[in-house]
Amino acid sequence: MKFFIDTADLKDIQEAQNLGVLDGVTTNPSLMAKVGVSGKENIRNHYKAICEIVEGDVSAEVLSTDYDGILREADELVTIDEKIVVKVPMIKEGVKAIRYLSDQGISTNCTLVFSAGQAILAAKAGASYVSPFIGRLDDICFDGVELISQIVDIYGIFGFETEVLAASIRNTMHIIKCAEAGADVATCPLSAITGLLKHPLTDSGLAKFLEDAKKMQ
Ligand code: E4P
């Protein structure tokens, strides 16, 4: 299972990278706005900075919602770095754009996916990644992890190559459940990744070892 970090915060990205377990980054317009990046040139430079930190794929989302606009933005985004994956929303124009980009050999991430039907369309269009938003489904009392299992099963039946990228992960348990469900990737906030480190028996066990180590000195 790959770990992506879901943020545009360079400090968090660097910290996850330093941990040695990071496979990529996802961003979205809200995350970019959160770190105060605005303006075409600044956005471009910010993506460049992210690509310098990580070794894997970096999803950069288009802001257009029409076919030509999406392709125009995709054209610009892919010149930033070869790690850039063009993130396109699950809308009719987006699906058409994903088909075109995929035929050109450009990697895409189909975002804002909330149903198995949408995930089938994304795969049929040739998306490299599909991003079901599990936390937002949980928020409205649907089982987000169940959707991941459903998509993994369907993709397995038909041999779709699109990778299932579990998004909108809110906590450590989400990561574990998505791993059990067979998600190819989990994109998570730093807190959910570092949350995997924690166990009270590790803390108490280490405290005891350190205490006993003093007796050895
Ligand atoms: C996915 O790529 C999105 O950036 C993200 O996971 C959305 O998460 P949120 O629901 O916490 O905003």
Side-chain angles (χ1 to χ4, degrees), residues 134-183:
I134 66 170
R136 292 193 196 186
L137 278 170
D138 286 0
D139 289 346
I140 58 160
C141 282
F142 281 85
D143 189 340
V145 173
E146 181 52 39
L147 175 62
I148 299 293
S149 301
Q150 205 182 4
I151 298 171
V152 168
D153 285 350
I154 294 170
Y155 281 12
I157 291 169
F158 295 102
F160 287 131
E161 284 175 12
T162 303
E163 291 188 59
V164 180
L165 193 170
S168 187
I169 283 184
R170 302 278 165 75
N171 53 54
T172 303
M173 205 57 205
H174 268 157
I175 303 179
I176 295 163
K177 290 284 170 197
C178 285
E180 282 178 338

Side-chain angles (χ1 to χ4, degrees), residues 12-205:
D12 281 4
I13 295 170
Q14 186 66 64
E15 193 175 332
Q17 174 65 25
N18 292 349
L19 197 55
V21 298
L22 192 63
D23 300 295
V25 177
T26 53
T27 62
N28 64 37
S30 308
L31 294 171
M32 293 291 272
K34 197 170 163 190
V35 293
V37 186
S38 62
K40 216 170 163 184
E41 210 40 46
N42 290 337
I43 292 173
R44 201 180 160 81
N45 288 336
H46 201 78
Y47 284 134
K48 261 190 204 158
I50 293 175
C51 290
E52 275 165 24
I53 299 174
V54 293
E55 277 157 31
D57 287 347
V58 174
S59 284
E61 189 159 342
V62 296
L63 307 177
S64 302
T65 53
D66 64 295
Y67 179 74
D68 291 334
I70 294 172
L71 294 190
R72 232 186 346 263
E73 280 189 61
D75 258 2
E76 286 178 19
L77 287 170
V78 296
T79 63
I80 297 175
D81 194 288
E82 59 186 20
K83 295 168 192 162
I84 293 288
V85 173
V86 183
K87 203 172 179 191
V88 180
M90 168 41 76
I91 53 175
K92 197 199 273 185
E93 299 291 288
V95 171
K96 282 156 61 180
I98 289 170
R99 172 79 278 158
Y100 177 83
L101 293 168
S102 155
D103 288 344
Q104 303 303 306
I106 293 170
S107 301
T108 55
N109 174 354
C110 184
T111 189
L112 289 167
V113 166
F114 294 93
S115 74
Q118 291 178 325
I120 291 171
L121 268 184
K124 293 279 295 172
S128 319
Y129 296 103
V130 64
S131 288
F133 278 32
I134 66 170
R136 292 193 196 186
L137 278 170
D138 286 0
D139 289 346
I140 58 160
C141 282
F142 281 85
D143 189 340
V145 173
E146 181 52 39
L147 175 62
I148 299 293
S149 301
Q150 205 182 4
I151 298 171
V152 168
D153 285 350
I154 294 170
Y155 281 12
I157 291 169
F158 295 102
F160 287 131
E161 284 175 12
T162 303
E163 291 188 59
V164 180
L165 193 170
S168 187
I169 283 184
R170 302 278 165 75
N171 53 54
T172 303
M173 205 57 205
H174 268 157
I175 303 179
I176 295 163
K177 290 284 170 197
C178 285
E180 282 178 338
D184 299 290
V185 190
T187 189
C188 334
L190 181 63
S191 58
I193 298 175
T194 54
L196 292 169
L197 286 164
K198 293 181 192 143
H199 197 286
L201 291 180
T202 303
D203 296 341
S204 57

